[in-house]
Amino acid sequence: MFRTALRNVFAHKARLLMTAFAVMLGVTFITGSLVYGDSLSRAATAKATDGYERIAVDVAADTDPADGGRSAGLDARTVTTLAGLPGVAAAAGRVDGFAAVAGRDGKPIGAGKSSQGGNFAPAADGKDPAYRFTRGSGPTGDNAIALDETTAARGGYRVGDTVRVGTDKGAASYTLSGVFRTDGTKLPSGGSLTLFTGATAQRLFLEPGRFQHIELTAAPGTDVTRLVGRVEPVLPKGTTAVTGARLAQIKANLATTDSDTMSQILVGFAAVALFVATFLISNTFTMLVARRTRELALMRAVGASRRQVRRILLAESLLVGAIASVAGLAVGTGVAALLQTLFAPADTPAAPLVLTPGTAIVSMLVGTLLPMVAAWLPIRRAMAIPPVAALSAAEPTAPARAGSLRTGIGAALALTGTAAVVYGALTTGKDARTVIGLGAALALTGAIALIPLLSRPFVALFEPLLTRIHPVHGGLAARNTVRDPRRTGATAAALAIALTLASGLSVLGASAAQYLDRATTHAFTADYLVKPAEGGQRMTPATTAPLKKLPGATLSPLNQSTGYRLAGTSSVLTGVDPAAIGRLLRYDVVKGSLDCLAKGQIAVADFKAQEAGWHVGQTLPLQRQDGRRGTVTVGAIYRADQQSDLMPSITAPDSLVARYDSAPHTAGVLLATHRGPGRAALAGVTHALGDNPALTVLDREGIRERDSGGIGDQLDVFYALLSMALAIAALGIANTLAMSVLERRKEIGTLRALGLDRAGVTRMIRLEALLLGALGATVGTVMGVFLGWALGRTLQESVVGYELVLPWGRLALGVLIALAGALLASLWPARRAARVDIPAATTAQ
């Protein structure tokens, strides 16, 4: 049986090529996803844990939640005490914080949240073991810094150059004293690291004479566990000692989170691609078995049992899957290497690819079992045909129409799934998304089962248009498309699945983008918003004081003060300038008046007032974590979006906030200039802030891009991943048309003999492909919009103001891409059909 199956595979290798290619693409996707994810995880772990082997014990002061999570630090006396303990070779006090390095163009270098600063802590030999200098040396004066080599290369800086660096305390220019390399304990991926002298770093990041943590290096032969036992008794209260090995483990767990998430996303899309491939495989074996009906019947007639014939056909699918899986495993590993090259951070050395036995086993199992599962139903149907009936047929048996059982089951699934989706969308309970997910699976399955039934009315709808454009070719294409509804449905279903996901993502993305745009920019009436750069922690009055000197400037800080309980409700107060805030933010007041701020009262967002049960005129008892008490009066209630990070939940006059909090967190400064926004005004504001790369100046477009621009980037990534499913669906169209041409060889020869030229045959096949593509694209787009609406409804309960937005441009583009893919898929089958030999075809039995 195995020899027979092997012979049959090579006898029909051209027909099985598309199937093998589809399996190979699916296995390539899943192998590449797993290998890339494992490699990314190992590289991230290696970088995150690099350098901890030199740290025996790390001593750190606990953070204070009441002080915004900041640490009081450790003094120099503690460093000296720890350095004198038995088994301690060296003790280095460390202090770090946010430090943005400006490039030649004044913009920050590297990822903002990963822009770090630290102190150079030389030992007795003048070297710091944490840093290896490649050029120059560590900073020795207050006006000197050192940069990591990646940042220096990005900025084009050399030793001796002047570099502008911004921190939470402001910006200043420094002389570059050296360029260094360091390990993962100091430099985050994609970020920058600036070294200052110890005194400068303490002044910028903490306070003079104090350190955030102390790194202890053990003397040779020292047991780390015993060393911790010596360290803990001498530590001041509120201090924790952790071994370097434990820190490495914690960092490794944190580092793998992002890579695991990316790997899961990739595997999810790989599963979609494989699911789409099942339709191609099943369709191919359906057509192959139909073409070989007489051959299989002859095998039955000479003594082969049903089980033996079934095993031969399953062995064929197993061979195809095994060959395609080996190829997919090799190509997938190469794809993972390409992804690693394209997307690896510039400062991360290339890590070796990780091909685990688990990845190889999963890929081979999926690639070999999938064709067998997909081929089972066509083989089972073929075995139901009696040998005598198959041998007596001059032509292969007519394809089965969509059966009533299949139609009934499909209709039941579609109706049940649709009802579940609508129920989940309208009830919007906590389990609504689960209900919608299950309903979507049922509805999509039912729609796939009903596509054969839908194909006839769909083609009938477009047939008049086709016949008007091409009377002969259009009519032939329409009739050929519905000749086998089951085959048509299976081919279009693969395309429908991909378009369902793409359309649903488009609807959700467009709706979310519009909501975020409205939520963040509707209330913004100022010209500019000045905020700390990504990763920056706080702005001080001294940082933004120069803005007051701008001609005709109107400004108000957003001073956020935490730790309040108003009438027993946890609250955050945002202090503003009562005289200026009305020009800088649009308050849609529903009760009371914003003039209450000038009277020392507060204004409350509607969602906060509704949640707490407050009303205008109510006096609320105030209590802060530090023990201060008082009362405040609600003077106004205004509409606000709970998701907006610009409109405060509680607006208070800055004098009220200052009464209870001497150092509130300035989240930003709203600014209006006398000439309005513009390039010159922006340059003036930036210059007034001291060209500080630690501060970001945003206009309306900048705010919009910051809050909603990332959605488009994420959608583009998902579309790129879905392109694999679209490619496999296009292969299904090509395979279906190619097999159809083979089955209709005599018919095509007859048409040619009657006068249909090669161009006409090519046009007919292309029109069939367009009909298949249009059917799949239409069903997929309708399903995607429906599911996008349903999922969006579940957000409306928690996201006030979310509305359905239909991105007509993206939806139309998806349909056009599907039609273009179908047209490209028809090129090879159309070429084969046009080259059919007329005498040989017309005399074929």
Side-chain angles (χ1 to χ4, degrees):
M1 285 189 297
F2 182 78
R3 287 197 302 269
T4 303
L6 185 64
R7 183 199 65 203
N8 288 338
V9 168
F10 284 103
H12 304 98
K13 56 181 178 294
R15 303 179 191 179
L16 291 169
L17 180 62
M18 290 290 188
T19 300
F21 193 56
V23 176
M24 188 197 76
L25 283 178
V27 174
T28 295
F29 204 158
I30 196 166
T31 301
S33 302
L34 294 174
V35 171
Y36 178 66
D38 291 340
S39 304
L40 192 65
S41 178
R42 181 169 297 184
T45 301
K47 181 171 178 57
T49 58
D50 179 29
Y52 280 101
E53 68 279 357
R54 64 176 172 77
I55 302 174
V57 180
D58 185 88
V59 178
D62 298 338
T63 58
D64 183 6
D67 193 26
R70 285 174 289 179
S71 167
L74 300 162
D75 57 21
R77 183 183 304 174
T78 305
V79 178
T80 304
T81 302
L82 293 175
L85 292 176
V88 176
R94 300 292 183 188
V95 60
D96 52 59
F98 174 77
V101 181
R104 303 284 185 180
D105 57 358
K107 297 180 180 179
I109 298 175
K113 63 182 179 180
S114 299
S115 299
Q116 297 292 313
N119 65 309
F120 179 66
D125 58 359
K127 297 181 180 180
D128 189 331
Y131 308 103
R132 302 176 296 280
F133 279 84
T134 57
R135 297 190 298 276
S137 59
T140 55
D142 290 344
N143 64 339
I145 60 166
L147 293 176
D148 68 277
E149 60 179 0
T150 302
T151 302
R154 287 175 180 172
Y157 291 123
R158 298 181 179 180
V159 174
D161 287 350
T162 299
V163 183
R164 191 76 173 170
V165 180
T167 66
D168 295 335
K169 296 290 181 65
S173 297
Y174 300 87
T175 301
L176 184 62
S177 66
V179 177
F180 60 86
R181 293 178 181 174
T182 188
D183 49 50
T185 64
K186 304 298 180 186
L187 180 60
S189 295
S192 63
L193 179 58
T194 306
L195 289 184
F196 304 86
T197 61
T200 302
Q202 288 172 337
R203 175 175 55 84
L204 293 175
F205 304 133
L206 195 57
E207 58 182 79
R210 303 194 72 83
F211 302 94
Q212 288 161 325
H213 60 105
I214 303 169
E215 295 175 354
L216 302 182
T217 304
T222 301
D223 182 81
V224 175
T225 304
R226 292 183 179 179
L227 181 59
V228 172
R230 299 190 196 109
V231 168
E232 288 180 337
V234 301
L235 293 179
K237 185 179 179 180
T239 307
T240 304
V242 183
T243 64
R246 175 57 181 161
L247 280 177
Q249 183 180 0
I250 294 172
K251 293 291 185 180
N253 293 337
L254 293 174
T256 57
T257 301
D258 291 341
S259 57
D260 289 346
T261 301
M262 176 58 71
S263 181
Q264 291 168 6
I265 292 174
L266 291 174
V267 170
F269 279 95
V272 172
L274 288 169
F275 182 58
V276 171
T278 59
F279 290 91
L280 188 155
I281 298 166
S282 180
N283 226 13
T284 300
F285 272 91
T286 298
M287 292 182 285
L288 280 176
V289 170
R291 289 292 300 171
R292 296 165 58 191
T293 301
R294 299 183 68 183
E295 173 192 334
L296 299 176
L298 183 60
M299 293 176 64
R300 294 274 307 281
V302 298
S305 65
R306 283 187 181 182
R307 180 175 298 178
Q308 288 176 317
V309 176
R310 185 184 298 115
R311 286 178 179 175
I312 291 173
L313 293 174
L314 288 175
E316 292 179 23
S317 65
L318 177 65
L319 285 170
V320 171
I323 295 171
S325 298
V326 172
L329 190 63
V331 177
T333 305
V335 169
L338 179 63
L339 290 173
Q340 196 177 51
T341 302
L342 293 175
F343 300 112
D347 59 344
T348 301
L353 288 177
V354 179
L355 178 58
T356 63
T359 296
I361 292 173
V362 168
S363 300
M364 290 297 297
L365 282 178
V366 169
T368 53
L369 293 180
L370 182 64
M372 295 180 66
V373 173
W376 174 259
L377 188 59
I379 293 172
R380 184 174 178 274
R381 284 200 299 262
M383 293 301 97
I385 301 175
V388 175
L391 285 171
S392 62
E395 295 288 343
T397 56
R401 298 178 181 273
S404 58
L405 179 62
R406 174 193 179 106
T407 302
I409 294 175
L413 289 175
L415 290 174
T416 304
T418 302
V421 171
V422 173
Y423 173 78
L426 297 180
T427 56
T428 62
K430 66 175 184 178
D431 297 325
R433 292 176 192 173
T434 303
V435 173
I436 290 175
L438 294 174
L442 293 176
L444 187 58
T445 304
I448 291 171
L450 290 176
I451 286 181
L453 185 66
L454 298 175
S455 61
R456 288 189 179 277
F458 182 86
V459 172
L461 180 66
F462 283 92
E463 187 172 2
L465 176 63
L466 296 178
T467 53
R468 179 173 297 180
I469 299 174
H470 298 290
V472 176
H473 315 126
L476 289 172
R479 285 191 289 274
N480 289 333
T481 302
V482 296
R483 176 180 294 186
D484 189 340
R486 184 176 293 171
R487 180 189 303 176
T488 299
T491 305
L495 195 59
I497 294 170
L499 263 295
T500 297
L501 293 175
S503 301
L505 287 172
S506 295
V507 171
L508 285 174
S511 302
Q514 177 168 300
Y515 159 73
L516 287 174
D517 181 23
R518 184 174 60 250
T520 54
T521 61
H522 169 74
F524 183 74
T525 55
D527 295 334
Y528 298 106
L529 171 64
V530 180
K531 289 181 65 70
E534 186 181 9
Q537 296 300 315
R538 71 172 52 230
M539 297 166 60
T540 64
T543 305
T544 57
L547 294 177
K548 297 179 181 179
K549 300 178 182 179
L550 291 172
T554 301
L555 60 92
S556 174
L558 299 173
N559 293 322
Q560 290 185 344
S561 183
T562 60
Y564 293 91
R565 293 192 69 81
L566 298 183
T569 302
S570 297
S571 304
V572 175
L573 270 61
T574 301
V576 300
D577 183 349
I581 193 63
R583 181 184 170 188
L584 304 172
L585 280 182
R586 179 184 290 112
Y587 280 82
D588 296 330
V589 179
V590 294
K591 291 183 181 179
S593 171
L594 201 61
D595 294 337
C596 68
L597 297 177
K599 302 174 184 178
Q601 299 176 348
I602 63 172
V604 182
D606 53 357
F607 65 85
K608 182 70 175 180
Q610 183 178 2
E611 175 187 314
W614 299 339
H615 57 82
V616 172
Q618 183 177 1
T619 299
L620 308 174
L622 176 151
Q623 181 180 356
R624 203 157 183 266
Q625 282 183 349
D626 58 8
R628 300 186 185 187
R629 296 174 182 269
T631 59
V632 294
T633 301
V634 178
I637 295 177
Y638 54 88
R639 292 191 182 92
D641 197 303
Q642 195 168 356
Q643 307 300 318
S644 174
D645 62 353
L646 187 60
M647 181 63 74
S649 60
I650 300 178
T651 305
D654 47 14
S655 58
L656 176 64
V657 170
R659 188 185 311 164
Y660 297 98
D661 190 353
S662 59
H665 170 67
T666 303
V669 176
L670 296 166
L671 173 67
T673 59
H674 70 291
R675 289 187 297 179
R679 184 174 299 179
L682 178 61
V685 173
T686 304
H687 184 68
L689 292 169
D691 297 316
N692 189 347
L695 296 177
T696 302
V697 183
L698 300 172
D699 57 9
R700 182 178 294 271
E701 284 301 318
I703 294 174
R704 179 179 290 114
E705 178 62 26
R706 180 198 63 176
D707 292 337
S708 60
I711 294 178
D713 296 336
Q714 293 175 2
L715 286 178
D716 290 341
V717 173
F718 291 151
Y719 292 149
L721 295 174
L722 283 174
S723 63
M724 182 69 75
L726 285 170
I728 295 176
L731 285 176
I733 294 175
N735 212 20
T736 298
L737 291 176
M739 297 296 288
S740 177
V741 167
L742 187 63
E743 291 177 355
R744 292 153 46 197
R745 191 163 174 266
K746 183 174 183 179
E747 175 188 320
I748 293 172
T750 303
L751 290 173
R752 290 290 314 282
L754 292 175
L756 189 65
D757 59 6
R758 288 187 173 183
V761 173
T762 299
R763 191 175 296 115
M764 178 183 68
I765 300 298
R766 288 178 180 175
L767 289 175
E768 292 179 33
L770 286 175
L771 283 172
L772 285 172
L775 176 60
T778 301
V779 173
T781 302
V782 172
M783 287 291 298
V785 171
F786 175 59
L787 295 179
W789 164 81
L791 289 172
R793 284 277 307 177
T794 64
L795 299 174
Q796 291 181 344
E797 184 177 4
S798 57
V799 182
V800 180
Y802 179 94
E803 295 178 355
L804 176 68
V805 175
L806 294 181
W808 296 109
R810 283 186 179 269
L811 295 176
L813 180 61
V815 172
L816 288 177
I817 290 175
L819 294 178
L823 195 59
L824 287 174
S826 69
L827 294 180
W828 179 55
R831 184 173 180 273
R832 291 191 62 184
R835 291 177 176 270
V836 166
D837 183 76
I838 297 176
T842 52
T843 57
Q845 297 295 324

